[in-house]
Amino acid sequence: MAYSNSGSYTTGNSTKSEAQVCLKFPPKVSSPGLMALWSAKGQNKGKLRMLMEYSGPRLQIQMVVTFVLTQAIHSVLKHLRLPMFISQILAGMILGPMVFKGKSSLITSSDQSVAVLGTVGAIGYMFFLFLSGVKMDVGMTFRSGKKVICIGVLTVVVPLMACLITANSLSQESQFFTNKRVFLAVTYSATSFPVIHCLLSELKLLNSELGRLGLSAALIGEIVALFLLTICQWVVDGLENGWKVVVSNFGFFTVYFVIVVFWFRPVMKWMVRKTPEGGQIKNSYLYIVIGAFLVSHKLAELLKVYIVFAPFLVGLAVPDGPPLGSALVEKLEPIVEGLFMPLFVTTCGMRIDFSYLKNYGSFAKDQVISAVVTNFVKFGVSFLLPFLWNIPIRDSLAFAFIMLNKGIVEMAAYSFMNDTLVISQDMFAFVTIIVILIASIVPILVKTLYDPSSKHVRYLKKSIMDCKLNDELRIIGCIHVPANVNSIIDILNASCPTRQSPIALSVLHLIKLSGRATPLFIAHEKQSKSPSNNSYSENVVLAFNRFERDNWGAVSVKSFTAVSPPNLMHEDICNLVMDQFTSFLMLPFHRRRHVDGSIESEDQTVRRLNFNILQKPPCSVGILVEGQRHVKCINSRDHMHDQYPLANSSTYTIAMIFMGGKDDWEALALAKRMSRDKSVKLTVIQFKAVDGFQDDDGDRMMDKQLLRNVKENTSITYIEKEVKDGPETLTYLRSIVDDYKLFIVGRRYKREDPQTVGLHEWSEFQDIGIIGELLSSPDFGGKHSVLIVRHQ
């Protein structure tokens, strides 16, 4: 049995086109199997063609072909710095009617086969809109400054007015407002937050200054565009169907809004309150939220709410961040981003057919001109506003291109209008060309114009050696877990802070961005009763505030929290180093051990972060390997017990291992500063090669001068040890390891010395160097801490 349906639409030339779709009932879903098809007799069709009549295996084959073709195209285009979005569109164009015009293929064997693939992709797009709403922080609009709000509003409103005026001047229609014209004008001028976020994420600019400005402006622009679209649609309905229809639609929309905001959101907040702090939310709660999202589609249809608004508004109602928002993103994003969205973008590309451009209508021509004018106006406004506020011209140009970017949201809007016959095929071909061109050019231009790491080159070199003993020492301590606090405070106590030689400490708590799209950088105010409204880093801030009170006048503490993607955390650290004119940066080692030497935790994200910092250190860097000892957790209510081991001990023994070179110079400068404390006993151990191997003359002269100063200092113990190879160095270190609580060594990356010959082949962690790795090994007992220093 076949069912036929036809539809028509009017193009710019007022000609009608009809489309017929034939569907077979009952549909064939599951195949009887390859063996059954192969043994079938009396069939003239090919075996594979017979298999493709069943929607189940056909969908699987379509997915495989789509992904293989997309990855093949992207393996070539990625060298041109083109995004994956372009590869997916091109894959769809290859599989669509442009190549198989008038023919059938495995992918487009029938309208029904394409419809099944398109339905799967459309479901994925609904989930994409839902997750986009979940990751949005609407409260960010209220925290944005006046300049950001001005940019977000004007970059939408001004292009929209330019588009409407241009379209009206070109069109011969008497009516200024039409549903089609308004919808297209808003789509041309809108700023899509998911598209901007995707661009900045691919370019690794999310937490750069320009990236934060772009995200804030895009969020405001998204809200303004949705508001304008709703208002314009109501105005058009009022002009075409009467204002009673507008009142009715407004009432339905209000009902939907009340259900989502004043019933569904409180229920989700109750779920969050029922979840223990730091714990995982129940799976049953997640299923309830996902079920409500799926029902919202039907509810929006019943209440005559624009169907695309439904999942987005439900996502906005979900409390962002942990535990609910982050759990939804972690569970849904892999399958949505990895499976559904590539299929959706590819099906959008399959709709494109440039052959319709041969006979384009007047309406399509007028709209293309309007779209081009809108983009030029949007680019001009996006460039002028930041430039007038003293942002450099290259950064202003990059920002303008960011705000101009087009992507999956625009492609989805045009495909929806094409499917519902709002726009003709020639019009659809024109607007997709604009989307593809902009999406291809913008990433390349932004990457060329804006490089946030370039400002690190202009940064004034600062190190511990450059600081006089009585100068203020500016230090940044990075915290990943609460247990890092004790070890950093130990080092600070040993650094001899006094009123005459103070320490300016900046504490940076690094938190993985989860469940939200916008990175956060919070400067905690000491005057506030709570460190932040969201209790970010509360325990860490309280611990260091207490440390500051205990060392009043000698230590000043500023606390910060950075919530960002792990691969971009080093940008937050480098920016803070420059802002605070820091001389020394302390990073925790990625591996922690129990007292018995077993591994307590190992975070490869922290290891990659440390390695990124060491590649281009913004200042002198120290990686702290904590000793294997019981460390009590921080308790914000009871403060901390046994918080400062150094303060409780009569003598704190430190050994500095010296072999020469810039890293060792910096390590020695830090050790000498610590030795000023009477409770600190410093021993400098120099390993000399028996064969008399020497570095270049400059390094050798500096080594001798520094060691001469050490020998003249009566408060420092100097030991000179001659060794012939690495095993002899290892034996000596093993003999003294229990005599000291802290070892300070230079990283000495890729330095070949007779003192370490034979040890490099056993090296596992390049970020702490061979000597640092030996001393932090559990074979050495591990009750001591090790600080590995790398010069700027």
Side-chain angles (χ1 to χ4, degrees), residues 24 428 462:
K24 295 181 180 180
F428 180 68
K462 291 284 288 182

Side-chain angles (χ1 to χ4, degrees), residues 67 143 151 165 208 225 282 356 380 382 444 459 471 533 575 648 654 665 699 732 735:
F67 281 105
R143 298 191 297 267
I151 292 175
I165 293 173
S208 64
K282 294 181 180 179
Y356 287 97
S382 302
I444 300 174
Y459 176 61
D471 287 348
N533 295 332
N575 291 335
N648 298 331
I654 300 177
W665 301 345
D699 285 357
Y732 181 78
S735 67

Side-chain angles (χ1 to χ4, degrees), residues 66 99 121 170 276 316 324 358 408 410 416-417 444 472 499 632 650 652 694 701 764 790:
T66 298
V99 175
L170 294 174
L316 284 178
L324 182 56
K358 298 176 182 178
I408 189 170
E410 290 78 13
F416 175 77
M417 287 187 279
I444 300 174
E472 181 183 60
R499 292 179 182 271
K632 297 189 177 182
S650 57
Y652 193 74
Q694 300 289 345
M701 293 297 294
E764 181 182 0
R790 161 83 155 91

Side-chain angles (χ1 to χ4, degrees), residues 635-651:
N635 189 312
S636 61
R637 303 291 179 260
D638 304 327
H639 296 290
M640 293 191 337
H641 303 285
D642 192 26
Q643 185 170 325
Y644 312 131
L646 176 58
N648 298 331
S649 60
S650 57
T651 303

Side-chain angles (χ1 to χ4, degrees), residues 267-502:
V267 170
M268 291 186 289
K269 286 188 173 181
W270 175 84
M271 296 176 181
V272 173
R273 289 195 301 270
K274 285 292 184 179
T275 304
E277 185 176 354
Q280 293 184 350
I281 198 163
K282 294 181 180 179
N283 286 333
S284 57
Y285 293 163
L286 295 179
Y287 301 148
I288 292 173
V289 175
I290 296 173
F293 151 67
L294 296 174
V295 172
S296 67
H297 178 84
K298 188 64 177 179
L299 180 63
E301 184 179 349
L302 292 175
L303 297 177
K304 300 180 180 180
V305 177
Y306 183 42
I307 203 66
V308 180
F309 283 179
F312 185 71
L313 288 177
V314 173
L316 284 178
V318 177
D320 63 318
L324 182 56
S326 59
L328 286 170
V329 172
E330 289 174 2
K331 287 185 177 295
L332 296 178
E333 193 169 48
I335 189 171
V336 172
E337 297 289 344
L339 175 64
F340 287 131
M341 290 312 297
L343 290 177
F344 175 74
V345 178
T346 303
T347 55
C348 290
M350 293 169 64
R351 294 174 169 90
I352 302 173
D353 189 353
F354 292 148
S355 63
Y356 287 97
L357 297 178
K358 298 176 182 178
N359 300 306
Y360 59 85
S362 60
F363 177 79
K365 181 187 69 174
D366 295 343
Q367 284 298 313
V368 169
I369 296 174
S370 301
V372 172
V373 170
T374 303
N375 285 317
F376 273 107
V377 173
K378 187 178 183 68
F379 179 83
V381 174
S382 302
F383 167 74
L384 284 176
L385 289 177
F387 181 71
L388 292 175
W389 288 321
N390 298 323
I391 293 180
I393 186 170
R394 288 177 63 91
D395 293 0
S396 298
L397 284 171
F399 176 77
F401 282 116
I402 290 173
M403 299 300 289
L404 184 67
N405 193 41
K406 307 295 181 185
I408 189 170
V409 174
E410 290 78 13
M411 199 70 196
Y414 297 139
S415 298
F416 175 77
M417 287 187 279
N418 180 56
D419 293 344
T420 54
L421 306 180
V422 173
I423 61 175
S424 56
Q425 287 286 355
D426 54 343
M427 175 68 193
F428 180 68
F430 273 123
V431 292
T432 53
I433 289 176
I434 295 175
V435 171
I436 293 173
L437 288 177
I438 293 178
S440 301
I441 296 172
V442 165
I444 300 174
L445 294 177
V446 173
K447 192 71 174 178
T448 303
L449 290 169
Y450 184 70
D451 182 12
S453 63
S454 61
K455 59 187 177 183
H456 301 165
V457 179
R458 302 190 297 268
Y459 176 61
L460 179 64
K461 290 188 176 182
K462 291 284 288 182
S463 64
I464 301 176
M465 288 185 66
D466 296 326
C467 295
K468 297 180 181 179
L469 289 178
N470 293 329
D471 287 348
E472 181 183 60
L473 180 61
R474 294 180 172 267
I475 298 177
I476 289 180
C478 294
I479 305 293
H480 293 283
V481 294
N484 297 146
V485 174
N486 283 352
S487 298
I488 289 183
I489 288 180
D490 285 353
I491 300 299
L492 295 172
N493 273 317
S495 299
C496 189
T498 63
R499 292 179 182 271
Q500 293 75 29
S501 179

